[in-house]
């Protein structure tokens, strides 16, 4: 399949996994640009959360207040949605949140790589959330977890139909959960890249697409944070379903 | 499907299944390391900061409560003192009023005594004076009479 | 060659049609936020407690638009 067009735009190039140490061959252990950006986000997380709050200040400085804000934001969110017993899973959810948040935000840097734009990554995360939540549900409630699908507040005649719908929507969860994040990241970056391609092709008229890039970039700043938030809050909602399946 | 050796992606790199093992391997490594960092560094540190803050805030609240209690006590004392002072004042006023009345009565008595004494004295003096004058008149008249007699007798 | 171009054309038309689904998602998100806002202006004290619910609603509405976008991408690049 070949593409010939006046604009030489390759919006999907930025998502290519590229082995950066071992030449061209991509084995399962090769260090890729994706792994590099995971490493960079790990360093940034350590910088904000460990270096930033190394002094244990009573009145937080700039970095420490960022760390505290994120920490207590997720904490309060879990308590709000999944209740006090959800706090047991706080380390997992917090790990998930900062992993996605830093991946998204660092992905906005020019020439960077967004590891959350890959279906493999988000799919793995969503699938692990799905499996973990299902296991927690069965361990905590036994077979009572199945009452999640049998809606006792609905009229009896409707319940079998609702059962089918509920089961389908339960198994679609990891799909929508992962594709939402990856799709948003991919779409935003591809749009910026497309506008950048216009700017490259238009010469002096490039001022218009550059304004458009600025605007889209501002929107993307919002979107990356909201998507990290949404991924986390949906994890909390699923966890709440597992902990309290009755309602 | 994209092949990794190409410089330009032909399809979607996200759907290139040959990269999946690599991606998932690095993701798992990354997740495990990040989870360890969260569990062993971030959470203890944040909880420590939070507990410290809680402690200091609680301490301050307790201190404020204590000060409030003390203020209440002091206010009560002031009130008591004020009450006492007022009652004392009343007492002093009433006793001093009595005193003044007494003294006035006493002074009245005194002055009455004094005036009566004075009056009697004056009366005595008056009487004395009257008596004295009568005696003097008598004496004078006697002298006058004797003188007149001697004059008359001499003139003759 | 003619067949190939025809297939290509069909794919691109299909991708363009798939993108209309994103308009539906836009309407959905607009409804969610608009209704949230009109409710929030009536009772601002209850609004802050419901922002999380609003974001969940946005996420669900938006997911479907993302699906259609994905179909468009698949048509253009992956098939």
């Amino acid at each position: 399949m070949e593409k010939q067009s006046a604009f030489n735009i390759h919006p999907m190039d930025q998502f290519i996994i590229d082995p950066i140490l071992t030449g061209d061959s991509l084995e399962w252990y090769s260090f890729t640009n994706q792994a590099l950006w995971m490493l960079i986000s790990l360093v940034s997380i350590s910088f904000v959360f460990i270096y930033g709050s190394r002094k244990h200040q009573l009145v937080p400085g700039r970095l420490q207040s960022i760390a505290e804000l994120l920490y207590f934001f997720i904490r309060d969110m879990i308590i709000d949605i999944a209740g006090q017993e959800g706090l047991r899973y706080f380390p997992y959810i917090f790990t998930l949140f900062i992993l996605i948040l830093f991946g998204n935000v660092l992905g906005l840097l020019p020439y960077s790589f967004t590891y959350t734009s890959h279906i493999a990554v988000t799919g793995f995360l969503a699938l692990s959330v799905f499996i973990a939540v299902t296991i927690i549900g069965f361990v905590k409630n036994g077979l009572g977890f199945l009452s999640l699908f049998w809606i006792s507040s609905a009229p009896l005649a409707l319940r079998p139909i609702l059962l089918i719908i509920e089961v389908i929507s339960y198994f679609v969860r990891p799909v929508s959960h992962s594709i939402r994040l990856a799709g948003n990241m991919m779409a935003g970056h591809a749009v910026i890249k497309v506008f950048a391609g216009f700017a490259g092709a238009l010469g002096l008229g490039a001022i218009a697409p550059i304004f458009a890039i600025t605007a889209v970039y501002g929107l993307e700043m919002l979107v990356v944070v909201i998507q990290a938030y949404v991924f986390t809050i949906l994890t909390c909602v699923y966890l709440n379903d597992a902990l309290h399946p009755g309602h | 499907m994209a092949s990794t050796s190409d410089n330009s992606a032909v399809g979607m790199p996200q759907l290139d299944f040959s990269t999946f093992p690599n991606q998932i391997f690095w993701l798992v490594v990354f997740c495990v390391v990040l989870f360890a960092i969260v569990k062993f560094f971030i959470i203890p540190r944040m909880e420590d900061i939070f507990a410290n803050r809680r402690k200091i805030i609680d301490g301050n609240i307790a201190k404020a409560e204590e000060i409030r209690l003390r203020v209440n006590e002091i206010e009560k004392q002031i009130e008591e003192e004020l009450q006492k002072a007022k009652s004392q004042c009343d007492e002093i006023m009433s006793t001093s009023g009595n005193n003044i009345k007494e003294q006035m009565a006493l002074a009245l008595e005194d002055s009455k005594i004094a005036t009566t004494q004075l009056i009697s004295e004056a009366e005595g003096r008056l009487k004395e004076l009257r008596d004295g004058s009568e005696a003097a008149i008598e004496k004078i008249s006697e002298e006058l009479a004797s003188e007149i007699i001697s004059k008359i007798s001499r003139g003759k | 060659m003619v067949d190939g171009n025809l297939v290509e054309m069909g794919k691109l038309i299909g991708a363009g049609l798939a993108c209309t689904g994103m308009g539906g998602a836009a309407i959905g998100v607009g409804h969610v936020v608009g209704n949230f806002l009109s409710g929030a202006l009536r009772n601002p004290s209850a609004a802050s407690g419901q922002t999380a619910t609003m974001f969940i609603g946005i996420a669900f509405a938006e997911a479907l638009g993302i699906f259609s976008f994905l179909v468009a991408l698949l048509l253009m690049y992956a098939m």
Side-chain angles (χ1 to χ4, degrees), chain A residues 10 12-13 15 27-30 34 38 41 50 53 56 58 64 68 71 75 117-118 120 124 186, chain B residues 8-9 13-14 19 22-23 25-28 30-31 33-35 41-42 45-50 53:
Chain A
H10 301 290
M12 303 316 259
D13 281 10
F15 303 119
E27 303 297 330
W28 60 269
Y29 50 82
S30 345
Q34 188 182 40
M38 284 179 181
S41 84
I50 296 176
S53 58
H56 292 236
L58 188 65
Q64 192 184 322
E68 277 178 20
Y71 186 88
R75 206 189 143 93
S117 68
H118 272 264
F124 182 83
M186 185 174 32
Chain B
S8 166
Q14 280 91 345
T19 64
N22 178 284
Q23 291 193 46
F25 167 68
W26 285 110
L27 181 66
V28 169
F30 175 54
C31 282
V33 174
L34 186 62
F35 182 72
F41 293 97
I42 296 176
R45 178 160 299 190
M46 289 290 150
E47 290 299 328
D48 183 46
I49 289 171
F50 187 60
R53 194 167 297 160

Side-chain angles (χ1 to χ4, degrees), chain B residues 10-12 15, chain C residues 73-74 77-78:
Chain B
V10 181
M12 274 170 74
L15 292 180
Chain C
L73 278 182
L74 287 173
Y77 293 108

Side-chain angles (χ1 to χ4, degrees), chain A residues 45 49 66-67 69-75 77-78 90-105 115-116 125 129 181 224-233 235-236, chain B residues 34 38:
Chain A
I45 289 167
F49 282 93
I66 293 174
L69 273 178
L70 292 176
Y71 186 88
F72 289 107
F73 177 60
I74 298 303
R75 206 189 143 93
M77 186 163 96
I78 295 173
F90 171 70
Y92 305 94
I93 293 174
F94 186 63
T95 305
L96 211 58
F97 176 70
I98 55 176
L99 184 148
I100 294 167
L101 180 71
F102 276 75
N104 288 353
V105 172
Y115 55 79
T116 42
L125 294 176
V129 166
L181 178 58
V224 295
V225 176
I226 287 180
Q227 287 307 317
Y229 172 64
V230 162
F231 195 96
T232 321
I233 208 168
T235 307
C236 291
Chain B
L34 186 62
V38 167

Side-chain angles (χ1 to χ4, degrees), chain C residues 26-37 53-59 61:
Chain C
I27 293 171
V29 173
H31 259 292
V32 172
V33 180
N35 284 332
F36 173 80
L37 204 59
T53 321
M54 178 191 70
F55 276 112
I56 294 171
I58 289 177

Side-chain angles (χ1 to χ4, degrees), chain A residues 43-62:
Chain A
V43 171
S44 328
I45 289 167
S46 309
F47 177 74
V48 171
F49 282 93
I50 296 176
Y51 176 80
S53 58
R54 69 194 176 286
K55 285 188 239 155
H56 292 236
Q57 283 161 311
L58 188 65
V59 178
R62 256 175 291 182

Side-chain angles (χ1 to χ4, degrees), chain B residues 104-119:
Chain B
M104 261 167 65
L106 225 76
L108 225 68
E109 200 87 357
D110 269 6
S111 61
K112 225 185 249 175
I113 290 167
T115 41
T116 48
Q117 211 174 328
L118 264 173
I119 288 169

Side-chain angles (χ1 to χ4, degrees), chain A residues 187-203:
Chain A
H189 288 71
V191 164
I192 289 178
K193 197 62 185 271
V194 167
F195 277 114
F198 288 162
L202 286 179

